[in-house]
Amino acid sequence: MNIKTIHSVLSVIQVHPLLLILLLLSYFFGLFIEMAALFMLIFIHECGHLAVAKYFQWEVTRLVIWPFGGVMETKDFYNRPTHEELWVTIAGPVQHIWVFGVIHLLSFTSVPDYYLDQFIWMNTILLLFNLMPILPLDGGRFLFFMLSHWIPFHRSILLSTSFSIFMIVIANGILLLNGWVSPPLIVLSTILWLDNWLTYKRHYLYLMKHMLARYMYPTVNRNKIHKLEFPIQTSLQEMMKRFRKNHYHFIQIENQGLLSEDDYLSLLFSAVPPKT
């Protein structure tokens, strides 16, 4: 990675003010080292996503580091080839593997065992947490990519968000039964629940965004053909709910000719489609 690429990666990274406030408070409460270590682990994790996204030339607008995680804002998630999205997603959790190696090397130094144990615990929790099959965590994204490979994009959104909400309820039930509920976990669970609920409610907008990307940046592999058949009264908006990611489509309309995906998308975006 050259200097120009490194500068491009670092230029989009932002630290949320709340994290800076928590770092300052942790200093006065004697927890600065632990909080700084958590910040570094989150930073390393998110930089893994960012570096691979930049490698694939994704358009990343910014990466915000929060107290309990990070958010990489990009126009390319859900619109790029599945193998790229998988690599970008995996790049985050992979960082925790080599961090374990660094912690092991630190055990041969004068770093107190107390801090090493804390680092191992935080690194393990972050890794396992991000692998949970809940959107927008890495495990949830992986689940979505797998679903969208086999079923229509529209159904993938509905199923993955519904399953994420179900998993949030189950996870909180387990925490409650074991007496592990705490204010930070309640806040985090609420944020995840709201994110999935809003995505579920706005599934049509996500679908339209996906279709618009197919129209404006036609990069779908045209060797993977998927034929769709519809009755003649089917609307254009209803047809797009059957489109599958990473497939090029031909649409057979009853008693009509065969329509290519390019022709269909031109018709779809020739007028503003109503929300259904």
Side-chain angles (χ1 to χ4, degrees):
M1 185 178 291
N2 56 40
I3 298 298
K4 184 177 179 180
T5 304
I6 293 174
H7 180 267
S8 176
V9 169
L10 295 179
S11 63
V12 299
I13 297 176
Q14 300 176 15
V15 177
H16 195 274
L18 181 59
L19 177 56
L20 298 177
I21 294 172
L22 288 177
L23 281 171
L24 180 62
L25 291 174
S26 68
Y27 175 80
F28 292 104
F29 286 98
L31 297 171
F32 181 77
I33 294 178
E34 291 85 346
M35 193 64 194
L38 179 62
F39 163 74
M40 286 303 302
L41 290 173
I42 294 172
F43 179 79
I44 291 170
H45 177 105
E46 295 302 327
C47 280
H49 292 309
L50 180 59
V52 178
K54 286 291 188 178
Y55 173 80
F56 286 120
Q57 298 182 342
W58 286 21
E59 186 179 349
V60 180
T61 53
R62 64 173 184 164
L63 189 155
V64 183
I65 308 296
W66 287 71
F68 303 108
V71 178
M72 185 176 73
E73 297 180 2
T74 172
K75 300 178 181 179
D76 292 297
F77 256 134
Y78 309 134
N79 295 309
R80 298 293 288 238
T82 299
H83 75 276
E84 288 188 15
E85 293 178 325
L86 285 174
W87 277 115
V88 172
T89 300
I90 293 170
V94 164
Q95 307 309 311
H96 297 280
I97 306 303
W98 66 260
V99 168
F100 279 120
V102 172
I103 296 173
H104 176 69
L105 292 176
L106 289 175
S107 66
F108 296 102
T109 67
S110 58
V111 177
D113 291 340
Y114 167 79
Y115 289 122
L116 293 177
D117 292 340
Q118 288 290 310
F119 298 161
I120 291 174
W121 180 82
M122 286 189 289
N123 196 48
T124 303
I125 293 299
L126 281 174
L127 174 59
L128 296 178
F129 174 71
N130 274 283
L131 291 178
M132 292 181 67
I134 298 173
L135 287 170
L137 304 179
D138 297 329
R141 290 190 186 278
F142 185 83
L143 172 65
F144 175 82
F145 298 144
M146 292 298 97
L147 286 173
S148 64
H149 186 74
W150 299 106
I151 63 177
F153 185 87
H154 178 252
R155 283 190 63 199
S156 300
I157 298 173
L158 297 178
L159 283 176
S160 57
T161 50
S162 299
F163 184 76
S164 295
I165 292 172
F166 171 76
M167 287 299 298
I168 292 169
V169 173
I170 294 298
N172 278 277
I174 294 173
L175 293 173
L176 183 62
L177 289 174
N178 289 275
W180 295 338
V181 178
S182 64
L185 287 176
I186 293 174
V187 171
L188 188 58
S189 297
T190 303
I191 292 173
L192 291 174
W193 185 89
L194 283 173
D195 184 88
N196 281 280
W197 182 77
L198 289 173
T199 301
Y200 184 90
K201 296 291 287 185
R202 299 171 180 172
H203 61 87
Y204 182 81
L205 296 178
Y206 282 88
L207 177 60
M208 284 301 299
K209 178 182 176 182
H210 174 68
M211 299 302 291
L212 184 61
R214 297 179 80 115
Y215 176 61
M216 298 185 65
Y217 311 104
T219 59
V220 176
N221 183 359
R222 302 195 175 210
N223 293 321
K224 299 178 69 174
I225 304 297
H226 186 60
K227 185 178 178 181
L228 300 173
E229 298 182 3
F230 297 99
I232 193 169
Q233 69 272 18
T234 308
S235 67
L236 293 173
Q237 288 73 41
E238 192 64 28
M239 289 180 185
M240 68 180 177
K241 294 180 180 179
R242 295 266 304 278
F243 272 61
R244 288 170 58 178
K245 194 168 176 290
N246 296 324
H247 286 75
Y248 187 81
H249 298 78
F250 283 96
I251 298 95
Q252 177 69 58
I253 302 174
E254 183 182 16
N255 299 325
Q256 301 292 322
L258 196 66
L259 197 66
S260 72
E261 178 172 323
D262 293 334
D263 293 334
Y264 166 81
L265 292 173
S266 296
L267 288 172
L268 179 66
F269 291 107
S270 62
V272 178
K275 185 175 180 179
T276 58

